[in-house]
Amino acid sequence: MTMAKTLKNCIYYSIINAHLRQHHNAAFLSIGGVNLQWNRRLASRKLQAVGKLENPKPQGKYPTGQLFLHKVFGYRGILLFPWLARLYDRDVGNKKTESPQNEIDGEHIDSSNKEVQGKTQTYYQVLIDSRDCPFIRAQTEAVTFLGNQDNNRSLYAIPGLDYVAHEDILPYSSADKTPLQHELFDKFLELKSGQEPPFVAKDTLKAWQEKNHPWLELSDVHRETTENVRVTVIPFYMGTRVSEDSSVYWWRYCIRLENLGKETVQLRERHWRIFSLSGTLETVRGRGVVGQEPILSKEQPAFQYSSHVSLQAPSGHMWGTFRMERNDGYSFDCRIPPFTLESKQSETNNPHGFFG
């Protein structure tokens, strides 16, 4: 995992063992005063200077080309463009105490969604430094698209593309003319001396953003906490595959789990309810997620993954629970906030093209 520390506002990076991963969380809580904690076991390791920390913006937006460190996952990245999303936080305001098992009716889920007041929050489309991808607890191929029309089940991913909330951005600057390693860095951005930040969008980035807007757009974010485990869900519409006798609508959804408490927990099982506008209600149970049973500890508090769902209707709902287990054997169901699957009316014939 990549770790960073500062000396006179300079950031130093090193690849370290996985069991030390995310000690950076404590390190970056006080940026303005450069009040950083550092593990003594790193003292003998060779560090590489990558830049200087800047003060985070509590309000406003960061510009295209801003270098940053991810506050939760610690990777280096660069901002491409912002999204304005509606955050539905079930931990804020009046919260119902109904058990997830009672939330089995599609209409009930829809009405409960309306009771949660959404607020606007800024997210950013970003590139992840490929040097950090193997060491972070998040899928780095999570942004996927539908493949060619002749293969309904074909999906492809854009490696090292992510969505980051404004609050998770820790900005920094660098004198390096190539501060980030990513195959799209030179295609999307160019160096403009005398500007701050010195990297600006190329026409190819603007064209790619415009062309793929329907499948990249982030509009709704859903969040809920159960026994100090916070689950955040972001759904994305991917498009439709049409055959002679049916239409199949596809979505991807990104899920982040965070342990906000002191006790270590492990995700053991998932339990999904998927309601389609066609009238079907599907139940999905299984061990872990994406082939893993992630442990959320004080040292490694977060895990993020993406998956997909398809319906034979233009809209639906999903909700469910994760079965979590503590070290002492105590287990509980962590609620996954209900979210809507909505399709979009306007589509093009080639949503997956980069620059055509």
Side-chain angles (χ1 to χ4, degrees):
M1 147 97 219
T2 28
M3 288 284 294
K5 81 170 186 178
T6 65
L7 180 62
K8 295 182 179 178
N9 277 13
C10 291
I11 308 171
Y12 295 86
Y13 248 67
S14 174
I15 301 299
I16 66 171
N17 293 333
H19 69 277
L20 291 177
R21 172 184 321 198
Q22 291 196 10
H23 277 245
H24 64 276
N25 283 347
F28 292 120
L29 289 181
S30 180
I31 300 300
V34 196
N35 231 351
L36 306 183
Q37 302 175 11
W38 188 245
N39 195 298
R40 292 181 179 179
R41 298 180 65 178
L42 302 179
S44 62
R45 298 184 180 273
K46 185 177 181 180
L47 301 179
Q48 177 185 3
V50 297
K52 293 185 178 181
L53 286 172
E54 299 176 349
N55 290 324
K57 292 182 178 181
Q59 297 179 342
K61 297 178 185 177
Y62 293 105
T64 295
Q66 175 66 62
L67 295 167
F68 72 95
L69 304 177
H70 196 294
K71 185 176 181 180
V72 174
F73 295 109
Y75 63 72
R76 291 165 286 182
I78 193 166
L79 305 186
L80 297 180
F81 44 82
W83 295 106
L84 286 180
R86 294 186 301 275
L87 172 63
Y88 297 94
D89 192 341
R90 293 177 171 272
D91 302 326
V92 177
N94 294 327
K95 179 178 176 181
K96 287 196 171 186
T97 58
E98 289 180 289
S99 64
Q101 289 81 1
N102 292 330
E103 297 177 337
I104 60 175
D105 181 81
E107 294 182 358
H108 174 79
I109 294 300
D110 184 64
S111 63
S112 66
N113 270 339
K114 292 180 180 178
E115 294 173 5
V116 180
Q117 184 68 37
K119 69 174 183 178
T120 301
Q121 183 171 7
T122 302
Y123 277 73
Y124 299 93
Q125 199 86 66
V126 308
L127 296 180
I128 304 172
D129 195 312
S130 60
R131 294 168 293 185
D132 298 342
C133 287
F135 307 102
I136 60 178
R137 300 190 81 200
Q139 287 178 306
T140 56
E141 295 187 353
V143 180
T144 51
F145 291 79
L146 290 181
N148 295 326
Q149 291 280 353
D150 58 358
N151 186 350
N152 288 352
R153 299 184 65 82
S154 175
L155 299 174
Y156 79 95
I158 303 176
L161 193 65
D162 199 6
Y163 296 82
V164 181
H166 183 89
E167 62 194 30
D168 289 335
I169 297 291
L170 298 174
Y172 75 93
S173 60
S174 174
D176 192 341
K177 293 184 178 180
T178 310
L180 194 87
Q181 292 186 13
H182 191 285
E183 62 180 351
L184 296 177
F185 181 81
D186 291 330
K187 295 179 181 179
F188 283 168
L189 301 161
E190 62 182 339
L191 182 65
K192 287 284 188 181
S193 299
Q195 291 196 198
E196 190 59 39
F199 298 98
V200 298
K202 286 184 174 181
D203 290 340
T204 49
L205 174 58
K206 299 174 183 177
W208 181 77
Q209 177 187 3
E210 181 178 355
K211 184 171 187 177
N212 292 282
H213 183 278
W215 296 271
L216 288 171
E217 183 181 15
L218 183 159
S219 57
D220 294 340
V221 179
H222 304 266
R223 180 184 294 167
E224 185 167 3
T225 303
T226 307
E227 299 202 30
N228 288 322
V229 177
R230 184 166 65 190
V231 178
T232 303
V233 184
I234 308 177
F236 301 87
Y237 177 61
M238 297 176 64
T240 310
R241 286 293 172 258
V242 180
S243 63
E244 293 182 359
D245 55 353
S246 66
S247 296
V248 179
Y249 299 83
W250 283 81
W251 292 264
R252 71 179 184 272
Y253 54 91
C254 178
I255 291 187
R256 184 162 113 182
L257 295 103
E258 296 175 85
N259 185 358
L260 307 179
K262 297 181 180 179
E263 296 188 62
T264 298
V265 296
Q266 184 171 11
L267 192 159
R268 292 298 192 182
E269 299 177 359
R270 68 188 185 278
H271 178 201
W272 282 106
R273 306 301 294 270
I274 306 169
F275 175 79
S276 172
L277 189 63
S278 62
T280 62
L281 178 63
E282 181 181 2
T283 298
V284 178
R285 290 181 180 270
R287 296 289 297 181
V289 291
V290 292
Q292 301 184 52
E293 295 182 21
I295 296 174
L296 307 178
S297 63
K298 186 177 180 180
E299 294 76 23
Q300 301 177 331
F303 181 81
Q304 182 172 295
Y305 76 96
S306 288
S307 191
H308 305 87
V309 63
S310 62
L311 301 176
Q312 291 186 329
S315 65
H317 299 281
M318 287 182 66
W319 68 99
T321 57
F322 293 124
R323 174 56 61 94
M324 312 298 294
E325 184 179 297
R326 293 178 183 161
N327 287 337
D328 61 5
Y330 172 76
S331 62
F332 61 94
D333 286 332
C334 179
R335 292 182 294 273
I336 304 170
F339 56 97
T340 303
L341 302 172
E342 291 289 352
S343 60
K344 299 175 182 177
Q345 297 300 320
S346 59
E347 298 185 23
T348 61
N349 293 327
N350 182 27
H352 53 280
F354 262 80
F355 309 111

